[in-house]
Amino acid sequence: MTQQVKRAFKYRFYPTDEQAAELSRTFGCVRLVYNKALEERTQA
């Protein structure tokens, strides 16, 4: 049996102000949709 080497990489990025605003808006929408779906699932 052969062993497989696992590797991990870390990346950082430095968004511009415009990109940061877009990311914030996107993650805000994702959080809203997730919470609504979780609420629907909990009530079902």
Side-chain angles (χ1 to χ4, degrees):
M1 182 180 287
T2 62
Q3 291 184 344
Q4 187 175 11
V5 177
K6 295 183 181 181
R7 294 186 176 137
F9 297 95
K10 288 186 179 181
Y11 294 97
R12 288 192 72 170
F13 70 103
Y14 301 94
T16 63
D17 290 341
E18 183 180 334
Q19 290 170 331
E22 187 67 29
L23 285 169
S24 179
R25 187 168 35 254
T26 300
F27 289 128
C29 291
V30 168
R31 185 171 53 247
L32 177 73
V33 170
Y34 176 81
N35 286 336
K36 287 202 178 276
L38 184 61
E39 181 181 355
E40 286 292 322
R41 181 72 177 131
T42 302
Q43 291 178 0

